[in-house]
Amino acid sequence: MRIDIITVLPEMLEGFINESILARAQKKGLAEIHLHNLRDYSTNKWRRVDDYPYGGFAGMVMQCEPIDRCISQLKAERDYDEVIFTSPDGEQFDQHVANDLSMKGNIIILCGHYKGIDQRVRDHLITREISIGDYVLTGGELAAAIIADAVVRVVPGVIGDEQSALSDCFQDDMLSAPIYTRPAEYKGWKVPEILLSGNEAKIKNWEMEQAMERTQRLRPDLLEK
Ligand code: SAH
C-alpha cells in the first residue's frame, strides 16, 4: 500500500517513517510512505499556506489553494481510496479503522495545523476524518504518524510472525493475555506452570481465559461491543 502524507512539517515525520517496522515494510516493498511539504504548493514567494479567518476569529487557517494543488497533483498520478484529514472532531481511530485502512491501495493523510483548515477543503476534497483521541494537538503530524504505524503494522507480511499481529490487543475487541520469556524463574518470580507444560490445548485455553479476565477487569466496555 501507499501512504502520502501532506504536512507543513515533513522533517517531523522523516525520522519516524524511516525507522523500525515502517522502514522494514518499505524495504520489503510492502508499503511506501511519501511526505509532501505543503509549502511547495504555495502560490506566493513567502511560501505561506495560511491566512486570517473570516469573521474575525482568533488563529490562522490553512488555505484551500495549496492543499487543492497538492491533492490534485497526487490524484493525477494515481487513484486514491481515501483522502483523510486528521481532526479532533473526526471518527475515533481504533484497531478496526487501522485494519480497514490496511486493505486500501493508496491513501492520502492531510495534517492540519494552526487553527485548522478551510472548511471547503473538508467539504470537497476529504473523504474521511480521523481523530486519535479527545485532546487537541498542535498539528496532525503525530496523528498521521500513529495512523501510518498502526495501519502498516497490520499489512500482511510486515510483521514477521503473522500470528503476532493477529493476536494483539483489540484484534477481537479483547485485551491480550500476559506474556513471558526466559528464564522460567527470576528472583523467585515464576512463569505460570501451564506455559511450561507443552500441552498446546491447555495453553490455548489458558490464554483465552486470561484474555477474557483482563478484558472484563480492565476494559468491560470492549465486551459490550
Ligand atoms: N481548532 C481545531 C483544533 C486545531 S489543532 C478544533 O478545535 O478542532 C490543529 C490541527 O492538529 C488540526 O487541524 C488537526 O489536523 C490536528 N489535530 C489536533 N488534535 C487532533 C486529534 N486529536 N486527532 C487528530 N488530529 C488532531
Side-chain angles (χ1 to χ4, degrees):
M1 78 171 304
R2 177 181 168 121
I3 303 177
D4 288 276
I5 302 178
I6 304 173
T7 165
V8 288
L9 291 172
E11 315 79 39
M12 199 173 155
L13 288 164
E14 193 76 51
F16 184 79
I17 65 162
N18 290 310
E19 291 288 340
S20 184
I21 294 212
L22 292 189
R24 231 170 57 207
Q26 293 182 85
K27 275 199 201 98
K28 282 192 195 168
L30 297 169
E32 274 179 55
I33 305 174
H34 298 267
L35 301 175
H36 305 276
N37 189 340
L38 188 60
R39 295 191 190 285
D40 295 342
Y41 298 84
S42 161
T43 48
N44 59 68
K45 64 176 176 200
W46 307 279
R47 290 165 58 81
R48 281 195 64 165
V49 294
D50 62 319
D51 207 334
Y52 293 98
Y54 280 119
F57 300 111
M60 298 301 279
V61 180
M62 289 167 80
Q63 295 171 288
C64 291
E65 191 174 3
I67 297 173
D68 185 28
R69 290 180 64 196
C70 182
I71 292 177
S72 299
Q73 183 174 315
L74 288 171
K75 281 183 173 168
E77 290 161 9
R78 68 195 63 75
D79 289 333
Y80 283 92
D81 301 297
E82 297 281 12
V83 182
I84 297 165
F85 175 53
T86 57
S87 186
D89 55 10
E91 148 193 27
Q92 176 88 43
F93 189 63
D94 64 11
Q95 192 62 52
H96 297 285
V97 179
N99 293 351
D100 179 44
L101 291 177
S102 75
M103 287 180 273
K104 311 277 181 191
N106 304 316
I107 62 176
I108 292 174
I109 305 178
L110 170 65
C111 304
H113 237 274
Y114 317 111
K115 187 73 188 160
I117 62 174
D118 191 307
Q119 180 61 38
R120 290 168 292 182
V121 171
R122 301 174 70 168
D123 293 342
H124 299 285
L125 299 175
I126 300 298
T127 61
R128 194 160 179 176
E129 301 189 323
I130 295 180
S131 165
I132 59 159
D134 287 346
Y135 39 80
V136 179
L137 303 164
T138 53
E141 286 71 22
L142 287 171
I146 285 170
I147 295 167
D149 188 282
V151 168
V152 169
R153 193 169 180 284
V154 285
V155 168
V158 167
I159 290 197
D161 177 3
E162 245 179 74
Q163 196 51 42
S164 164
L166 293 177
S167 64
D168 281 332
C169 274
F170 305 120
Q171 277 299 2
D172 307 306
D173 289 317
M174 294 269 281
L175 302 184
S176 312
I179 48 167
Y180 301 87
T181 186
R182 284 184 286 192
E185 184 171 340
Y186 174 74
K187 286 185 172 176
W189 309 337
K190 288 186 180 149
V191 168
E193 205 66 53
I194 183 115
L195 293 179
L196 310 173
S197 70
N199 185 326
E200 266 182 50
K202 277 196 175 156
I203 291 174
K204 191 88 215 134
N205 206 34
W206 173 89
E207 186 192 14
M208 272 158 48
E209 275 171 20
Q210 290 287 320
M212 181 56 85
E213 187 279 323
R214 269 196 178 186
T215 311
Q216 265 162 352
R217 180 162 48 89
L218 302 170
R219 291 295 304 275
D221 57 298
L222 291 176
L223 296 172
E224 278 156 29
K225 286 188 185 173

